[in-house]
Amino acid sequence: MKKRLAILGSTGSIGSQTLQIANRIENIEIVAISCGHNLSLFSKQLSEFHPPFAASLKKSDSLTDSFPATLFFHGEEGIERMLEESKPDYVLLAVSGAAGLRFSLKAIEVCHRLCLANKESIVCGGDLLLKECARKGVELIPVDSEHSGLFQLLDGSRRPKRIIITASGGALRDWPLERIQDATIRDVLRHPVWSMGNRITIDSASMVNKGLEVIEAKYLFEFETNEIDTYICRNSFIHAGILYSDGVLKLHTGIPDMRIPIAYSLTYPERIQTIPEQSIVDVPMILEELPKERFPALTLAREICGVVSKQIAYNAADEVAVEAFMNGRMPFGGIYNIIEKTVERTADQNPVDYSQIIETDSVARKLAQEEVDRCY
């Protein structure tokens, strides 16, 4: 029997790739897709995949008229209703930002498996999403390449001493330290390995993304931050690793292509081939130390890990700061400045439910915007 799949955030990089992959998997049926504001691409996806249910944040009469066989919803409430009406077995959540937590919590009310490509659901929610998944018996399969690798390595037979996640180093990894502060948008978006959305590419250069991933790994796999090592792997061939007390190191390696972890989240525990087989001869597998002075955002993430209010502030401030950078409001170096100041102004708290999390997020965004307005 086919598994019914809903994809939230279908017009983003992960969502678009998921559509192409899922359409080739025999036992997957795409029943619902949602988007934010890219209605042009959304229309093309509707034409190609013909899902019976669809939703967008903004109402579009033209889409409704163009696709009469599709039942449309709009707004955040509409996306939730789409999930209820479409009755998916699996939900792949590729919505970006803290907004993803709301949809993650809704998804686990209706599905059996949540394929999670929204790290903010864990960073901002702390244990909330994980506890709800456990209570409802919903499988949570991480889609990020590093966390997918750890998920596959940690088979439960023996707890390792340490876990490892890698970073490419981003577009500015070889720049002189004094030049990084003034990098342009064009400079930062030239990622050396991955093709991703704007925010995650910028976060890769600042290493905020790796900070978020360290926090996510703590909650997903129950390791403390001093048990989570981060290294640079320039070709992103090594995604993750686990180190045992006897010195044995297991590595998860493979071609840096997000179609692989996306497909694994949909077919687990089975595997399917999603890309042509490639030779691994002469592919270097080298890990480099990650210099702290170049990436203070990663150090800060480690320091606040476990304090949910500050995790929320870290993410919220980054979203505000990246938008300001993209709009030409401030230099690249200002992103960390805004994050640091916002985190400093946020009290140590551990919100326990969704309403408290959203309130903390709202306050943090106001603080971050105040810092942008004051400093730039």
Side-chain angles (χ1 to χ4, degrees):
M1 182 179 295
K2 288 191 173 184
K3 299 296 184 182
R4 297 166 61 84
L5 172 67
I7 303 169
L8 304 191
S10 68
T11 56
S13 176
I14 297 296
S16 296
Q17 292 180 81
T18 301
L19 278 170
Q20 300 298 330
I21 292 167
N23 198 46
R24 301 200 303 265
I25 301 176
E26 290 185 1
N27 67 334
I28 294 288
E29 176 187 4
I30 301 167
V31 296
I33 62 176
S34 78
C35 82
H37 304 285
N38 191 347
L39 298 182
S40 176
L41 177 55
F42 198 50
S43 178
K44 293 177 182 178
Q45 292 177 340
L46 292 166
S47 296
E48 182 176 358
F49 299 102
H50 307 288
F53 301 90
S56 60
L57 287 179
K58 184 179 179 181
K59 186 176 182 180
S60 172
D61 292 332
S62 64
L63 284 181
T64 304
D65 295 339
S66 299
F67 303 98
T70 298
L71 181 59
F72 281 91
F73 303 88
H74 67 273
E76 293 184 345
E77 296 82 4
I79 293 174
E80 291 180 325
R81 283 193 58 207
M82 181 194 75
L83 287 173
E84 293 173 352
E85 296 292 333
S86 61
K87 297 179 174 58
D89 297 298
Y90 298 169
V91 174
L92 189 137
L93 197 139
V95 175
S96 63
L101 176 59
R102 173 177 181 170
F103 302 127
S104 292
L105 291 171
K106 185 62 181 181
I108 62 176
E109 292 181 10
V110 300
C111 73
H112 305 303
R113 175 181 295 180
L114 175 60
C115 307
L116 187 64
N118 172 264
K119 59 181 65 68
E120 294 87 352
S121 291
I122 305 295
V123 171
C124 298
D127 287 327
L128 179 61
L129 182 63
L130 298 169
K131 288 179 178 178
E132 287 299 299
C133 283
R135 186 172 70 87
K136 297 177 183 296
V138 174
E139 291 180 302
L140 195 158
I141 313 292
V143 174
D144 274 353
S145 60
E146 298 84 358
H147 299 84
S148 176
L150 286 171
F151 179 81
Q152 295 174 58
L153 289 169
L154 294 165
D155 58 9
S157 60
R158 182 74 63 179
R159 179 183 170 87
K161 182 179 180 180
R162 310 178 71 79
I163 62 175
I164 295 168
I165 58 176
T166 66
S168 68
L172 311 179
R173 64 191 180 189
D174 294 319
W175 279 42
L177 192 57
E178 63 274 11
R179 287 187 56 209
I180 290 177
Q181 300 292 313
D182 298 317
T184 68
I185 296 171
R186 185 177 180 183
D187 293 329
V188 175
L189 292 180
R190 290 174 175 168
H191 197 284
V193 180
W194 297 96
S195 175
M196 306 178 291
N198 286 346
R199 185 201 169 193
I200 193 171
T201 305
I202 294 168
D203 285 352
S204 177
S206 67
M207 209 58 76
V208 166
N209 188 54
K210 208 53 50 179
L212 295 172
E213 289 180 0
V214 167
I215 296 171
E216 184 183 12
K218 166 191 164 55
Y219 289 98
L220 283 177
F221 307 114
E222 299 182 332
F223 283 83
E224 297 305 317
T225 51
N226 61 2
E227 300 172 317
I228 305 171
D229 293 335
T230 47
Y231 296 101
I232 287 178
C233 179
R234 289 175 172 267
N235 60 1
S236 294
F237 194 78
I238 302 172
H239 305 292
I242 57 176
L243 177 66
Y244 291 101
S245 56
D246 62 356
V248 170
L249 173 64
K250 290 184 179 180
L251 296 176
H252 181 277
T253 67
I255 303 300
D257 191 315
M258 283 305 300
R259 290 175 293 180
I260 298 173
I262 290 170
Y264 185 74
S265 74
L266 297 174
T267 62
Y268 170 81
E270 304 300 325
R271 297 177 184 271
I272 64 166
Q273 184 173 353
T274 55
I275 63 173
E277 187 172 340
Q278 300 183 39
S279 173
I280 60 172
V281 174
D282 295 328
V283 176
M285 288 188 282
I286 300 171
L287 296 177
E288 302 175 19
E289 290 289 348
L290 202 153
K292 293 182 179 180
E293 67 276 9
R294 294 183 68 87
F295 305 113
L298 176 55
T299 300
L300 178 60
R302 289 181 172 279
E303 291 172 353
I304 65 172
C305 190
V307 183
V308 177
S309 60
K310 288 188 178 291
Q311 293 172 185
I312 294 170
Y314 181 95
N315 176 74
D318 180 63
E319 291 190 31
V320 171
V322 167
E323 182 178 2
F325 171 64
M326 289 290 293
N327 291 335
R329 178 80 183 273
M330 67 182 195
F332 175 73
I335 293 175
Y336 175 70
N337 184 37
I338 299 303
I339 296 171
E340 182 183 38
K341 291 180 182 298
T342 304
V343 169
E344 284 178 354
R345 294 177 62 185
T346 301
D348 292 16
Q349 295 176 337
N350 283 297
V352 295
D353 60 31
Y354 179 72
S355 63
Q356 292 177 356
I357 291 168
I358 292 303
E359 176 62 22
T360 304
D361 178 74
S362 177
V363 170
R365 287 174 191 275
K366 291 177 182 176
L367 293 175
Q369 191 60 55
E370 286 178 11
E371 294 295 339
V372 171
D373 295 339
R374 184 175 66 84
C375 298
Y376 302 102

